[in-house]
Amino acid sequence: MFLSIIVPSYNVEQYVEDCLKSCVAQNISHDDYEIIVINDGSKDNTLDVINGFVSERQTHNIKVFSHDNQGLSATRNRGLSLAEGDYIWFVDSDDWMAENILDGLRLFVEKHNQPDVVVLNTIMKREGVAEEELVDRRLVQESCDGAFVYQNSYIYPYSGAQFYLFKRDYLLTHGLSFKPGIYFEDCLFTPSVLSQTDHCAYYSTPAYYYRLRANSITTSSITEKKLYDSITVAEELKAKIDDERTKYPNILKDAICRTYEVLFRYYILKSAPDVQKKFLKLLNSNDNWKSMKGISLKHKVYYYIMRVYALIKG
């Protein structure tokens, strides 16, 4: 089987049917791919919508599972454990796939000798805005390694796992899965994946439609858990630098720096004064950047700006 599409679903009653419609509106046999839909303890009518769609379509390649709420990481991991396809596509249930894209992707994978990672382009659709925006990676070559992908196209929103196809055997062999119980799990997962592979391929045709919602994790309010989870992501990335499977440690170093920069600029500085003071002290005592060799001058400058600010305000 070519592909397993994994669709974690939580409180998306108004979106999930469109997602599933896109998954079945494809130009390869249903025997060649499966759609694994996992209801993550939704409190609305998400499960009813999913079951109604499956009953109406009577599509044999959709498999529906449900469990108590465990979060996105655990739900994706369960989907990965159930998958039988050669490739995995983690499709968010409020997004959708391009119509009739799978045959082209399958031919592309064959052409490039079954790469570990297929890098995708996406169309961004902001909720409430009519226009669509192509978030074009503009990579200059189809065949590449993880370092080239990261250095040239790791821009928002491309930390997200949904913007790649992953070879299932590659993920399993390298022990690559999502850390449960944290926000920003993709900021840990995607750099980890790219840091271990020298066999990627870039598919330039837009394959994914990304819906940017006002109440998504990306755009929702600041919480202390998000701040702590950002630090967890940085620490987990650092622990992987010396892993023997890591081929490109500079990816992890750069991702650590980016994590702290985002934490500082978009979370700490916008937090309430008491929270800001607490996390500035944490940053001031943290030497993750200082202890790493080979980080860019830009990151070094930003690091010292952060440290000075923390010393003054913390």
Side-chain angles (χ1 to χ4, degrees):
M1 183 187 297
F2 166 53
L3 180 67
S4 295
I5 301 168
I6 297 172
V7 186
S9 304
Y10 177 70
N11 290 354
V12 284
E13 61 182 4
Q14 68 187 102
Y15 304 112
V16 67
E17 184 171 357
D18 286 341
C19 177
L20 296 179
K21 284 179 180 177
S22 76
C23 292
V24 300
Q26 297 300 324
N27 50 2
I28 64 173
S29 167
H30 287 176
D31 294 330
D32 292 334
Y33 75 107
E34 62 181 353
I35 305 162
I36 299 173
V37 189
I38 304 178
N39 171 50
D40 184 30
S42 296
K43 297 177 177 62
D44 63 1
N45 294 317
T46 292
L47 184 58
D48 291 337
V49 173
I50 293 167
N51 286 333
F53 179 87
V54 174
S55 176
E56 178 183 327
R57 294 300 180 105
Q58 296 184 343
T59 304
H60 71 271
N61 65 335
I62 302 182
K63 304 170 184 178
V64 180
F65 302 88
S66 193
H67 57 218
D68 292 338
N69 182 247
Q70 297 179 26
L72 179 59
S73 291
T75 304
R76 281 175 169 173
N77 288 342
R78 185 183 181 192
L80 179 59
S81 72
L82 294 166
E84 299 179 2
D86 295 333
Y87 282 83
I88 304 294
W89 195 352
F90 298 104
V91 173
D92 284 356
S93 51
D94 53 353
D95 299 335
W96 65 100
M97 300 163 49
E99 186 175 347
N100 292 330
I101 198 70
L102 292 188
D103 189 50
L105 279 169
R106 182 172 56 180
L107 293 172
F108 183 80
V109 163
E110 293 171 356
K111 171 186 174 183
H112 288 276
N113 200 20
Q114 287 74 47
D116 298 327
V117 179
V118 178
V119 181
L120 305 173
N121 269 342
T122 193
I123 302 289
M124 182 184 291
K125 181 69 171 68
R126 297 179 187 273
E127 201 164 48
V129 178
E131 293 79 12
E132 298 175 344
E133 175 188 353
L134 171 61
V135 189
D136 192 350
R137 295 177 187 258
R138 292 193 173 91
L139 292 174
V140 296
Q141 59 194 61
E142 286 188 349
S143 296
C144 47
D145 56 31
F148 183 86
V149 174
Y150 183 89
Q151 291 164 4
N152 293 280
S153 77
Y154 192 76
I155 55 172
Y156 179 81
Y158 286 128
S159 60
Q162 63 267 45
F163 307 117
Y164 305 82
L165 298 190
F166 302 102
K167 193 174 185 179
R168 181 166 62 95
D169 284 351
Y170 169 73
L171 295 182
L172 298 177
T173 301
H174 288 73
L176 293 161
S177 61
F178 297 88
K179 185 174 180 64
I182 64 169
Y183 291 110
F184 316 121
E185 62 285 317
D186 287 349
C187 295
L188 171 58
F189 177 80
T190 305
S192 299
V193 170
L194 294 176
S195 73
Q196 296 186 25
T197 180
D198 54 13
H199 191 189
C200 301
Y202 168 54
Y203 188 73
S204 59
T205 302
Y208 194 84
Y209 284 80
Y210 172 57
R211 188 194 309 270
L212 187 60
R213 294 194 285 147
N215 60 341
S216 67
I217 290 173
T218 306
T219 58
S220 57
S221 61
I222 297 168
T223 65
E224 286 197 37
K225 176 169 173 52
K226 289 182 179 179
L227 274 68
Y228 279 118
D229 285 353
S230 293
I231 294 171
T232 297
V233 167
E235 291 175 345
E236 292 275 337
L237 288 167
K238 187 178 180 186
K240 293 176 180 288
I241 289 174
D242 295 324
D243 189 317
E244 61 181 10
R245 293 169 295 192
T246 298
K247 297 181 178 181
Y248 304 106
N250 283 346
I251 288 177
L252 303 177
K253 294 176 182 180
D254 188 85
I256 291 167
C257 295
R258 289 172 184 259
T259 298
Y260 279 115
E261 289 172 13
V262 169
L263 170 64
F264 180 67
R265 291 176 61 191
Y266 297 105
Y267 289 91
I268 291 178
L269 293 183
K270 296 181 181 180
S271 297
D274 58 330
V275 175
Q276 183 179 125
K277 187 170 183 178
K278 179 195 299 187
F279 282 91
L280 284 172
K281 285 182 177 179
L282 277 175
L283 283 186
N284 201 34
S285 63
N286 191 302
D287 67 348
N288 272 351
W289 285 5
K290 189 176 181 181
S291 64
M292 292 190 302
K293 296 179 180 179
I295 65 173
S296 71
L297 178 61
K298 171 193 168 185
H299 289 321
K300 287 178 182 177
V301 170
Y302 207 99
Y303 170 77
Y304 285 111
I305 290 172
M306 258 178 36
R307 291 295 294 268
V308 169
Y309 188 92
L311 281 169
I312 294 171
K313 298 287 189 177

